[in-house]
Amino acid sequence: MAGFDKVVSSYEEAMAGLTDNMTVIAGGFGLCGIPENLISEIKRKGTKGLTLVSNNCGVDDFGLGVLLSDRQIKKIVASYVGENAEFERQMMAGELEVELTPQGTLAEKMRAGGAGIPAFYTATGVGTPVAEGKDERTFNGRDYILEESITGDFAIVKAWKADRYGNLVFRKTARNFNPMAATAGKITVVEVEEIVEVGELDPDQIHTPGIYVDRLILGTFEKRIEQRTVRASSAQGAK
Amino acid sequence: MALSREQIAQRVAQELKDGYYVNLGIGIPTLVANYVPKGIEVMLQSENGLLGMGQFPTEENIDADLINAGKQTVTMATGASVFDSAESFAMIRGGHVDLTVLGAFEVDVNGNIASYMIPGKLIKGMGGAMDLVAGADNIIVTMTHASKHGVSKLLNSCSLPLTGKGCIKKVLTDLAFIEIKEGKFHLLERAPGVSVEEIIKLTEGELIVAGDIPEMKV
């Protein structure tokens, strides 16, 4: 590695320094845009006691769900657990600490964390269990709660393309939480489908500047689809 | 007759206006997209980061990188844009979405909504629902009026953990279209063939019935 070149050549190197009880922020929505191989590397390493911050926790046998079966996760901060039976089981049994967080609040917690903003007020969650124990304040006649931002020891991110400096381009809805996650890690590790030479990406088209990225690795991806919905022909509308 | 899921979606679609940006929740709300009235244009917002959601793809056009908030594979309509989750919720929290349609377990006379968990039984998580109900002014909740056992879901006070407080003004059930104001339910329309008495019987919270209640056109 030299200068701004962020490329590493092995997943072991990519996740080096991850140790027990750390906080990991992960990009992805459902199984879309998840850092599949970085998750596999965490499973391989067997790191335990992790606090995981991610919108979802994958499904039972793919995505972050694979870390549940080995009890590598101590706590998860997520907005939606509906598609993961083991998640729900561990949560109900009290084996897993879960901080259910509204999706927009979660995105903003990461964004604010990465931007050096310690907390922000939002109307989301006022009068609900989410507001419990949080400072409440009225602005212009409306109630808001104070939400603290999130940073992680590691952020694991999936992008589509990058140059060697770690400038990132995402693809379609695989972007989701990835750009915010990238800003909020002390060490941000990104895996991509293609790495190009510096100068090949149009600066106007870069979604995440390389300053946020510490390590970059080229991966191959299964891209499993959670809900495969199709229409028969162009004559028919969506279901 | 109680409305079918499709009929509920059809009735909601009548509330769409030309040029509306609309967020449709998972389940019945998603079906609303099939009944957009002719001659108007709406753009669907999917909170995972897509404005201008198109129909489902054909088998050969499936793209794992393009899904909706229900994790279903979708396409992009002409004029669509994609963005990250913070941007998506800036649209929602900033009040830029014209209409939000979402499901619920319970609503009450004070406009409270419960939709994300049943303690000890079911934990789905709120996903984007808390942001949507807090950020939107124009919300329609779609739900069945009562449980299979005839227990009302339109209550004096929600019994389940709340998704939002005092934010719901319109509810469309399989039996009725109801407005919530000043701490009461107000019956606006009834499903074809469903009597006002039947609706009153299955509504726990105070229901105001003013004059003749028209049947919905679905």
Side-chain angles (χ1 to χ4, degrees), chain B:
Chain B
M1 269 284 283
L3 300 181
S4 66
R5 289 162 56 88
E6 286 72 22
Q7 287 174 314
I8 292 175
Q10 276 176 39
R11 179 60 193 87
V12 171
Q14 293 168 18
E15 300 296 304
L16 298 172
K17 292 196 172 74
D18 194 27
Y20 260 18
Y21 294 102
V22 181
N23 182 291
L24 301 175
I26 296 165
I28 293 173
T30 305
L31 302 175
V32 173
N34 300 341
Y35 302 104
V36 177
K38 290 232 166 2
I40 74 164
E41 281 190 288
V42 299
M43 202 176 273
L44 302 178
Q45 203 259 14
S46 190
E47 64 266 26
N48 56 315
L50 170 60
L51 187 62
M53 181 167 59
Q55 51 191 344
F56 292 140
T58 54
E59 188 66 45
E60 55 273 21
N61 288 330
I62 279 192
D63 185 340
D65 287 341
L66 188 53
I67 63 168
N68 64 18
K71 285 107 181 175
Q72 297 172 310
T73 46
V74 292
T75 58
M76 291 191 274
T78 307
S81 55
V82 289
F83 33 83
D84 65 50
S85 300
E87 178 85 51
S88 182
F89 282 91
M91 291 172 198
I92 291 166
R93 292 165 178 237
H96 304 280
V97 176
D98 298 300
L99 173 66
T100 289
V101 185
L102 79 170
F105 299 142
E106 299 172 344
V107 295
D108 70 26
V109 293
N110 292 312
N112 297 325
I113 173 172
S115 66
Y116 80 99
M117 72 176 293
I118 301 172
K121 279 191 189 157
L122 171 78
I123 302 161
K124 295 197 309 178
M126 67 291 282
M130 280 193 183
D131 306 282
L132 283 159
V133 297
D137 191 42
N138 191 10
I139 304 168
I140 300 176
V141 170
T142 61
M143 60 194 292
T144 52
H145 207 96
S147 74
K148 276 176 280 191
H149 311 292
V151 179
S152 180
K153 298 179 181 179
L154 280 78
L155 307 173
N156 281 312
S157 178
C158 288
S159 65
L160 298 170
L162 295 185
T163 306
K165 188 181 162 191
C167 49
I168 306 303
K169 293 174 196 146
K170 286 177 186 163
V171 184
L172 183 67
T173 73
D174 52 343
L175 304 181
F177 192 22
I178 282 170
E179 189 179 3
I180 304 174
K181 59 180 180 190
E182 290 148 4
K184 295 180 180 71
F185 294 125
H186 297 256
L187 186 57
L188 301 179
E189 297 173 18
R190 57 201 170 85
V194 173
S195 69
V196 169
E197 291 68 36
E198 213 173 322
I199 294 165
I200 292 172
K201 205 179 98 204
L202 290 171
T203 307
E204 184 203 276
E206 187 178 350
L207 180 69
I208 304 297
V209 181
D212 276 350
I213 304 300
E215 282 192 353
M216 291 175 207
K217 292 182 179 63
V218 287

Side-chain angles (χ1 to χ4, degrees), chain A residues 40-174:
Chain A
S40 301
E41 174 61 16
I42 296 174
K43 186 174 175 70
R44 193 199 62 77
K45 279 172 80 88
T47 317
K48 295 261 198 281
L50 295 173
T51 294
L52 215 66
V53 184
S54 167
N55 188 58
N56 314 81
C57 197
V59 294
D60 285 337
D61 64 338
F62 195 65
L64 292 167
V66 303
L67 304 180
L68 284 169
S69 49
D70 295 345
R71 305 293 177 87
Q72 291 178 259
I73 307 172
K74 179 182 72 183
K75 178 181 172 181
I76 179 145
V77 181
S79 87
Y80 195 77
V81 300
E83 271 100 28
N84 191 317
E86 177 62 13
F87 186 122
E88 199 165 343
R89 193 200 64 72
Q90 288 192 16
M91 181 174 169
M92 301 278 246
E95 296 164 14
L96 178 69
E97 195 184 332
V98 179
E99 194 175 315
L100 280 178
T101 303
Q103 198 174 131
T105 295
L106 186 61
E108 195 63 16
K109 276 171 176 266
M110 291 185 196
R111 198 197 68 78
I117 295 166
F120 55 92
Y121 281 98
T122 177
T124 299
V126 169
T128 76
V130 166
E132 279 165 23
K134 289 173 185 161
D135 183 36
E136 200 164 324
R137 222 180 121 175
T138 306
F139 296 92
N140 301 318
R142 196 163 180 211
D143 295 335
Y144 296 82
I145 53 172
L146 186 67
E147 291 281 6
E148 289 183 20
S149 65
I150 295 178
T151 55
D153 297 296
F154 271 76
I156 56 174
V157 167
K158 159 72 174 51
W160 178 40
K161 261 191 208 184
D163 65 20
R164 301 185 69 88
Y165 284 4
N167 291 310
L168 307 179
V169 179
F170 301 92
R171 186 170 176 275
K172 299 184 178 173
T173 56

Side-chain angles (χ1 to χ4, degrees), chain A residues 3-14:
Chain A
F4 298 106
D5 193 334
K6 310 289 171 68
V7 178
V8 298
S9 52
S10 74
Y11 277 93
E12 205 176 343
E13 202 182 335

